[in-house]
Amino acid sequence: MKTIRVGMIGSGFIADVHCQAIARLPGAEVVAHCSPSEGSRRLFSERWKIPETYPDHRQMLASSELDAVVVATRNHLHAPIALDAISAGKNVILEKPLCLTLAEADEIIDAARQQGVLVCYAEELCFVPKYVRVKELVDKGAIGSVYRVNQVEKHEGPYSPWFWKVKEAGGGILMDMGCHSIEFARWLLGKPRVRAVSAFMDTVLHSDKTEMEDDVVIHLEFETGQRALLESSWALLGGMDSITHVFGTAGVIHADLLKGMGLKMYSAAGFGNNPDSNRGWSFPDYEWLWENGYPQEDEHFFDCMRSGSEPLESAEDGRQVLEIMYACYASAAEGRTITLPYSPPDVAAPVEIWLQSKRVGRAGG
């Protein structure tokens, strides 16, 4: 089996998660890392014993013999870094969201096709064992014909300050967690075309930190007649939720990713690196990385790179999600259902569609 030599771009939480996942996989190793911060670069490379480190991804692409890179950076850097990697002939694992504009998405897709490399869209919910089992049951007809999927992704707020910034994040909770729910629903139903989107959003808890949305409710209508009701929030106090309910004509499936592992604990002071998040009653993971699908995701992507086969989650899927998120912002801004395909106005960040309507409303009020 060919060993996939990986370059890691970024040194934050999700880069660390990918390093943990890859360390478990035979036939793959992280051999190079880049970060513009000297301190972060040194600590990250020492922690993961990465032999080559670079301050700039272009130096890494030119100097290191790589088969693939993982782009685990702030959202606004996804497209330029991915395009540089594609131009250098590298396969790419690109964290969500794919990028900030549909033009960038099209450029990534076209460039990868021309270079003959893969761009894999890192949507780990499609690899979560519990959710994979849900899909297996759905596909076998265990609950009849599915007519609606409900999915929830919520917590108290992001782990890094850049998530609050329009230029770097491109949007609030929709771009951070709503993208998970959207692709989960598409994947579970077999990726039928979304024909209409309705969304409602607000800033209910974090207006002191951001003008972007921290709470969103989305309704998707598929060409099959099926529907999805999705909730994403940075305003959930007391922990995190990742829950799905799948409703069929002959049954229903309930799946709780984070609180259904059979472990329940009360800790008066909390524990671990972030005790505030688990003080009181909590549901400790016994195998967080595997339960959340990260090793399975990366293993699948590497297998596709070896065989040249299309990944389960590709740049095309990331583009579909991005178009739906643009439609969500337009729906919330205009107070109406948006039909797809949707061509957004020329904005630098998806959330600007909604923010512009808020600013006009304040000026008129």
Side-chain angles (χ1 to χ4, degrees):
M1 179 171 60
K2 173 181 170 58
T3 296
I4 302 294
R5 293 169 56 86
V6 181
M8 187 65 59
I9 304 175
S11 53
F13 167 77
I14 197 63
D16 196 76
V17 168
H18 279 288
C19 280
Q20 292 180 56
I22 294 168
R24 297 187 175 195
L25 302 178
E29 59 179 331
V30 179
V31 298
H33 168 252
C34 79
S35 173
S37 166
E38 182 178 356
S40 297
R41 191 166 65 248
R42 178 177 55 80
L43 290 173
F44 194 92
S45 61
E46 288 178 356
R47 179 163 67 251
W48 291 107
K49 297 179 174 58
I50 302 172
E52 301 177 25
T53 64
Y54 302 88
D56 186 276
H57 70 278
R58 287 159 294 198
Q59 294 178 7
M60 184 181 77
L61 292 170
S63 302
S64 185
E65 295 183 3
L66 302 173
D67 300 297
V69 299
V70 176
V71 181
T73 64
R74 302 178 187 197
N75 298 346
H76 72 298
L77 299 174
H78 286 189
I81 293 175
L83 288 167
D84 286 341
I86 292 167
S87 179
K90 312 303 181 187
N91 297 297
V92 179
I93 296 175
L94 188 50
E95 264 299 327
K96 57 80 188 172
L98 186 75
C99 50
L100 297 190
T101 72
L102 295 181
E104 289 177 338
D106 290 336
E107 190 175 2
I108 289 169
I109 292 167
D110 291 343
R113 187 176 296 119
Q114 291 173 15
Q115 286 286 347
V117 298
L118 295 183
V119 176
C120 307
Y121 180 57
E123 178 43 75
E124 77 277 1
L125 288 191
C126 304
F127 299 89
V128 167
K130 186 175 288 188
Y131 291 158
V132 169
R133 181 57 176 154
V134 170
K135 182 167 172 54
E136 288 173 351
L137 292 169
V138 166
D139 291 346
K140 290 177 181 178
I143 60 171
S145 298
V146 172
Y147 61 87
R148 191 173 79 238
V149 177
N150 291 10
Q151 213 278 334
V152 168
E153 292 291 321
K154 298 182 178 182
H155 54 61
E156 192 172 341
Y159 55 81
S160 183
W162 68 262
F163 282 92
W164 306 115
K165 300 175 182 178
V166 173
K167 290 184 178 180
E168 297 183 26
I173 183 61
L174 179 58
M175 295 287 283
D176 179 31
M177 302 291 282
C179 58
H180 286 307
S181 297
I182 291 167
E183 186 57 7
F184 176 85
R186 290 183 68 247
W187 164 74
L188 188 75
L189 296 175
K191 299 184 179 178
R193 186 179 69 86
V194 174
R195 68 185 182 193
V197 174
S198 302
F200 308 87
M201 59 186 67
D202 201 355
T203 313
V204 299
L205 189 64
H206 298 294
S207 59
D208 59 325
K209 302 181 187 71
T210 187
E211 62 178 338
M212 298 189 296
E213 82 286 356
D214 63 9
D215 190 76
V216 62
V217 178
I218 303 164
H219 180 252
L220 302 181
E221 301 175 41
F222 293 89
E223 62 181 352
T224 54
Q226 296 161 303
R227 298 172 183 270
L229 182 61
L230 315 173
E231 301 177 40
S232 296
S233 185
W234 282 338
L236 176 68
L237 303 179
M240 180 174 177
D241 282 345
S242 180
I243 301 168
T244 190
H245 305 294
V246 186
F247 299 93
T249 56
V252 62
I253 302 173
H254 303 293
D256 188 330
L257 172 58
L258 303 175
K259 298 174 183 174
M261 298 300 170
L263 298 177
K264 188 175 181 181
M265 181 182 74
Y266 179 85
S267 174
F271 65 95
N273 295 328
N274 188 13
D276 290 340
S277 69
N278 50 49
R279 186 176 293 120
W281 284 106
S282 65
F283 301 82
D285 300 293
Y286 65 86
E287 226 309 5
W288 183 89
L289 203 66
W290 181 84
E291 291 166 13
N292 283 270
Y294 289 105
Q296 301 94 311
E297 174 188 65
D298 286 338
E299 183 174 38
H300 168 72
F301 291 154
F302 296 146
D303 285 343
C304 290
M305 292 172 195
R306 294 186 188 99
S307 66
S309 56
E310 187 70 12
L312 175 67
E313 290 294 310
S314 67
E316 286 83 356
D317 294 304
R319 190 201 187 280
Q320 290 286 325
V321 173
L322 184 61
E323 182 184 2
I324 292 166
M325 291 194 291
Y326 265 105
C328 287
Y329 283 119
S331 174
E334 300 174 26
R336 66 181 181 91
T337 298
I338 302 295
T339 57
L340 274 67
Y342 174 67
S343 297
D346 186 16
V347 291
V351 72
E352 284 291 352
I353 297 174
W354 181 64
L355 292 178
Q356 288 172 7
S357 72
K358 286 181 63 180
R359 293 162 187 155
V360 169
R362 287 197 298 266

